[in-house]
Amino acid sequence: MRRARREQAVPDRRDEASAVPAERGSTHVVESRLTGPVRVVGVGLLGTSIGLGLRARGVEVILADASPTHVAIAVDYGAGRAPAAGDEPELVVVCVPPDVTADVVAAELAAFPNAIVTDVASVKAPILAALRERGADVSRYLGSHPMAGRERGGPMAGRADLFVGRPWVVAAHEDISYRRAAIVDDLILDLGATLIEMTPEAQDLAVAIVSHTPQVVSSLMARRLVDAPESALGLAGGGVRDVTRVAASDPGLWVQILGANAPAVAEQLRAFRDDLDRFIEALDDPAAPGARRRIAEELAGGNTGVERLPGKHGVDRRFVALTVMVDDRPGQLARLFEDVGAAGVNIEDLRLEHSPGAQIGLAEIAIVPEARERLIEELAVRGWRIAG
Amino acid sequence: MRRARREQAVPDRRDEASAVPAERGSTHVVESRLTGPVRVVGVGLLGTSIGLGLRARGVEVILADASPTHVAIAVDYGAGRAPAAGDEPELVVVCVPPDVTADVVAAELAAFPNAIVTDVASVKAPILAALRERGADVSRYLGSHPMAGRERGGPMAGRADLFVGRPWVVAAHEDISYRRAAIVDDLILDLGATLIEMTPEAQDLAVAIVSHTPQVVSSLMARRLVDAPESALGLAGGGVRDVTRVAASDPGLWVQILGANAPAVAEQLRAFRDDLDRFIEALDDPAAPGARRRIAEELAGGNTGVERLPGKHGVDRRFVALTVMVDDRPGQLARLFEDVGAAGVNIEDLRLEHSPGAQIGLAEIAIVPEARERLIEELAVRGWRIAG
């Protein structure tokens, strides 16, 4: 993995790019390094968001889609203009469903012999292999994968800021030159994303581990709830909600994603199943010698794994949690955060919990440990009730 | 399942109880229906929290623990007093680790022949069976299980409000009279929890489904991260963090919980494994006839399951999400929530997301659908950037 080739090469530009999110509400247009028009093929959530983001940087955007209605909506939305005869895009971004991405990339490479073509599908190696197989000019193709999405799809869900602060993988390969690849970096940095360079194989393994396998595990866990007694669901707490949250994802899209990355995901699921088999065996005779030790070791392995996740979510040892009771009415959270801010404490993470029927919720805020005692005191003085 | 026998029987009292959490910061003591002293055995997180909650209601609390140091801490903390010769508790609450709960309950039943004894262990049927087996007087025993906890344990983690608004199961059985059982209801309502009555078997199945199985699945998923390449972890998003969050739980405690509920959990895990086997088989040959349909059906089953979860978390169709960009410095969330509150909109749920290295975070707030367009306008006017 190599991070942000362009960031390193052009530090002043990086400063500009990272300055954008810091200026809240800014409408200042920072000029793009992209000079020619960018053609976006497929104006769903990602394509429309890319168009909106580039338009905000003053880039000329051409919007193409199998559905003229979608193009019309995206044009009205300000994401670019409809295609015209003689269009000569500098860059083509293919944002169509995974199943047809290779076909569309090949067609765009053929239609625009001077353009660099990228795509945003979540699995990269099969697309590159398919293009090579059919003799497409991969010296002008560089696949990429933005780690961004929303529950809602379609052009109306598009947002200029969808990619800001998100990782965006560039799936580097040997057949495209450094000079040609730079335009894909420009696209990514223009949209405020964090560029991460990996081989297609490394990226596909990475998403198998951190995205596709968790999706399958979450869906299969949620399936257990289908026949659960109503009374059991009444006891559901934050744990099962967390584990099953992504199980709400669109099966139609995920069939395509999992199909494209099937070998890598199946390998992860097989390793998961091996652990599961050992676990079930231990549970079937928990009094057997070593059974409890095996259970404890599997659980401790989970501790180790979750500690490896970076960032502010999950178990982050840099922060401690404080749970504050909040009345369930407008303005209460505002009062809480005002009081926390007034104490000079930054909220690093936050979760809200609310039991059915209760008049109050619990706001769990993560803060730096050294602020904990002081904040407890300050909040108590202001009448807040600390639940933990 | 029957809810809140006492709530139904004494509606005026219920109003008092539910009024407590609504009075933010109130120190007003609502008198308890518990008249005699309550003896709490085991002053960890739960025992200390029960002591603190009862003391706040003016109830006399006796604190017992194998560790005199723990008792001394809990006494200093205001959770009750140390035991004395001639103590005649009306109610004994056993809050010791699951493995020793039945032993301690039996000893307390023998030591205090006029007291009702309850416990707070998360698995109920084996304890009742163990007590019957040894001929303990189960006409004075009524097990219970508060759905509350914290990551931190020990008396210092105790909070008077730990149980407010949380479900608390009473594991009803035939050998205790209605009159005697009422004192356990009183305890639960005094502590502000929501009383739910189930048989021990129904409760153990319920927690196997909504708590124990998700815990195992989360831990086994997190184990996959132990050997993951560093570069893969850099792509981790909200999905894998959610799925693995509870994998951070204490293995020592969970070995005991899972050991006590082993048959029910193993049955759930076996059903999970059957689905997993079918899933892996489909992924091994995704081009085979029917393979994609099988994958889609498993994923759609997950959709159905997660939709059954009640409450404000997970997929709640009553609300829509709005993602707002927030600078990573103190007071920014306060400003946001102040502005949302000023717009008269209640925040039903909230999640913060933050990419490593980004200067801004994304606050995803859940609101009622009819407020969405108006809130977007109001926030935009105040300079907020909506990311979705």
Side-chain angles (χ1 to χ4, degrees):
Chain A
M1 181 180 70
R2 194 150 63 86
R3 270 178 196 268
R5 173 174 48 204
R6 294 302 260 179
E7 286 187 348
Q8 285 152 6
V10 194
D12 55 329
R13 180 146 182 288
R14 175 202 196 174
D15 292 342
E16 276 173 43
S18 63
V20 174
E23 290 169 32
R24 203 192 75 184
S26 164
T27 53
H28 176 61
V29 175
V30 178
E31 213 176 309
S32 172
R33 282 175 77 97
L34 295 165
T35 49
V38 174
R39 175 174 154 97
V40 176
V41 184
V43 290
L45 166 66
L46 295 182
T48 305
S49 296
I50 290 170
L52 290 168
L54 292 178
R55 290 299 304 135
R57 291 289 199 127
V59 177
E60 182 183 353
V61 177
I62 304 159
L63 301 171
D65 197 291
S67 155
T69 311
H70 275 194
V71 171
I73 292 171
V75 169
D76 285 351
Y77 217 51
R81 66 165 171 84
D87 277 343
E88 280 288 353
E90 183 185 18
L91 174 68
V92 177
V93 188
V94 173
C95 307
V96 299
D99 269 5
V100 294
T101 295
D103 287 345
V104 174
V105 167
E108 295 290 320
L109 284 168
F112 301 99
N114 297 315
I116 304 298
V117 179
T118 188
D119 73 301
V120 297
S122 65
V123 186
K124 305 276 44 127
I127 294 170
L128 183 60
L131 291 171
R132 285 199 165 120
E133 205 170 284
R134 71 177 74 188
D137 179 9
V138 293
S139 76
R140 292 187 289 114
Y141 168 72
L142 182 62
S144 74
H145 177 211
M147 307 297 291
R150 304 181 57 200
E151 284 135 47
R152 298 193 305 145
M156 295 299 288
R159 298 286 164 185
D161 297 319
L162 186 68
F163 308 103
V164 173
R166 308 278 191 170
W168 189 322
V169 176
V170 166
H173 63 87
E174 294 302 315
D175 297 329
I176 186 165
S177 68
Y178 179 92
R179 190 184 55 78
R180 284 177 164 183
I183 194 173
V184 178
D185 298 5
D186 289 341
L187 169 78
I188 293 169
L189 298 180
D190 265 11
L191 295 171
T194 302
L195 196 160
I196 296 173
E197 200 177 311
M198 305 171 85
T199 65
E201 293 72 23
Q203 120 81 31
D204 293 355
L205 174 63
V207 293
I209 296 170
V210 302
S211 169
H212 304 172
T213 301
Q215 175 65 50
V216 175
V217 165
S218 178
S219 293
L220 295 181
M221 178 62 231
R223 264 184 69 88
R224 297 292 97 232
L225 304 177
V226 173
D227 301 318
E230 195 70 35
S231 59
L233 298 169
L235 301 189
V240 66
R241 291 175 210 281
D242 284 342
V243 176
T244 59
R245 199 182 308 272
V246 293
S249 301
D250 173 27
L253 174 63
W254 275 94
V255 165
Q256 295 186 37
I257 293 172
L258 295 171
N261 208 16
V265 178
E267 192 190 320
Q268 292 296 317
L269 291 177
R270 252 188 278 276
F272 181 98
R273 187 180 56 187
D274 290 346
D275 287 342
L276 179 59
D277 283 337
R278 273 196 297 280
F279 210 99
I280 292 173
E281 198 187 315
L283 283 180
D284 278 342
D285 191 2
R292 288 198 160 214
R293 188 174 51 74
R294 266 216 310 288
I295 294 173
E297 280 171 2
E298 295 282 341
L299 298 172
N303 289 173
T304 307
V306 78
E307 279 162 16
R308 290 196 69 206
L309 287 173
K312 293 200 169 185
H313 279 279
V315 178
D316 193 322
R317 305 189 149 210
R318 292 173 300 167
F319 308 119
V320 295
L322 197 65
T323 305
V324 185
M325 304 201 169
V326 182
D327 287 2
D328 189 19
R329 43 197 176 85
Q332 290 307 295
L333 275 173
R335 275 229 320 264
L336 173 62
F337 290 111
E338 197 171 38
D339 289 352
V340 174
V345 177
N346 194 21
I347 293 177
E348 307 291 343
D349 197 358
L350 183 143
R351 313 204 71 206
L352 275 185
E353 198 172 317
H354 198 286
S355 294
Q359 293 306 303
I360 56 149
L362 301 172
E364 183 185 302
I365 57 181
I367 52 174
V368 291
E370 47 280 22
R372 185 181 157 86
E373 290 314 312
R374 183 167 52 86
L375 186 60
I376 288 174
E377 270 171 41
E378 298 239 16
L379 290 179
V381 165
R382 287 157 207 241
W384 293 99
R385 298 205 298 164
I386 310 295
Chain B
M1 181 179 69
R2 193 151 62 88
R3 272 179 196 266
R5 173 174 47 204
R6 293 303 259 180
E7 286 186 349
Q8 286 152 6
V10 194
D12 55 331
R13 181 144 181 287
R14 175 201 197 174
D15 292 342
E16 276 173 43
S18 63
V20 173
E23 292 170 32
R24 203 191 75 184
S26 163
T27 52
H28 176 62
V29 174
V30 179
E31 213 177 307
S32 172
R33 282 176 76 98
L34 294 165
T35 50
V38 174
R39 174 174 155 97
V40 175
V41 183
V43 289
L45 166 66
L46 296 182
T48 304
S49 296
I50 290 169
L52 291 168
L54 292 178
R55 289 300 304 134
R57 291 289 199 125
V59 177
E60 182 182 353
V61 178
I62 304 159
L63 302 170
D65 197 291
S67 154
T69 311
H70 275 193
V71 171
I73 292 171
V75 169
D76 285 351
Y77 217 51
R81 65 164 172 85
D87 277 342
E88 280 288 353
E90 184 186 17
L91 174 67
V92 178
V93 188
V94 173
C95 307
V96 299
D99 270 5
V100 293
T101 296
D103 287 346
V104 174
V105 168
E108 295 292 319
L109 284 169
F112 300 100
N114 296 315
I116 306 297
V117 179
T118 188
D119 73 300
V120 296
S122 64
V123 187
K124 306 274 46 126
I127 294 170
L128 183 61
L131 291 171
R132 285 198 166 121
E133 205 170 285
R134 71 177 73 187
D137 179 10
V138 294
S139 75
R140 292 186 289 115
Y141 167 72
L142 182 61
S144 74
H145 177 211
M147 307 297 290
R150 304 181 57 200
E151 284 135 48
R152 299 193 304 146
M156 294 299 288
R159 298 286 164 185
D161 297 320
L162 186 69
F163 308 101
V164 174
R166 308 276 193 172
W168 189 323
V169 177
V170 167
H173 64 88
E174 294 302 316
D175 296 330
I176 186 165
S177 68
Y178 179 92
R179 190 184 55 78
R180 284 177 165 182
I183 194 173
V184 178
D185 298 3
D186 289 340
L187 169 78
I188 292 170
L189 298 180
D190 265 10
L191 295 172
T194 302
L195 195 160
I196 295 174
E197 200 177 312
M198 304 170 86
T199 65
E201 293 73 22
Q203 118 83 31
D204 293 355
L205 174 63
V207 294
I209 295 170
V210 302
S211 169
H212 304 172
T213 301
Q215 174 65 52
V216 175
V217 165
S218 179
S219 293
L220 296 182
M221 178 62 231
R223 265 185 68 89
R224 296 293 98 230
L225 304 177
V226 173
D227 301 317
E230 195 71 33
S231 59
L233 298 169
L235 302 189
V240 66
R241 291 176 210 281
D242 284 342
V243 176
T244 59
R245 199 182 308 273
V246 292
S249 300
D250 173 27
L253 175 63
W254 275 95
V255 165
Q256 294 186 37
I257 293 172
L258 295 171
N261 208 16
V265 178
E267 191 190 322
Q268 291 297 317
L269 291 178
R270 253 188 277 275
F272 180 99
R273 186 179 57 187
D274 291 345
D275 287 342
L276 179 59
D277 283 337
R278 272 196 298 279
F279 210 99
I280 292 173
E281 198 187 317
L283 283 180
D284 279 341
D285 190 3
R292 288 198 162 214
R293 188 174 52 74
R294 263 213 315 284
I295 294 173
E297 280 171 2
E298 295 281 341
L299 297 172
N303 288 174
T304 308
V306 78
E307 279 163 16
R308 291 195 68 204
L309 287 173
K312 292 201 169 184
H313 280 279
V315 178
D316 192 321
R317 307 191 145 205
R318 293 173 300 166
F319 308 120
V320 295
L322 198 65
T323 306
V324 184
M325 304 203 167
V326 182
D327 287 1
D328 189 19
R329 41 197 179 85
Q332 291 306 296
L333 275 173
R335 275 227 320 263
L336 173 62
F337 289 109
E338 196 170 38
D339 289 353
V340 174
V345 177
N346 195 20
I347 292 176
E348 305 292 343
D349 197 358
L350 183 143
R351 314 204 70 206
L352 276 185
E353 199 172 317
H354 198 286
S355 294
Q359 294 306 303
I360 56 149
L362 301 172
E364 183 184 303
I365 58 181
I367 53 174
V368 291
E370 47 282 19
R372 185 181 157 87
E373 290 315 312
R374 182 166 53 86
L375 186 60
I376 288 174
E377 271 171 40
E378 298 241 14
L379 290 180
V381 164
R382 287 157 207 242
W384 292 98
R385 299 204 300 162
I386 310 295

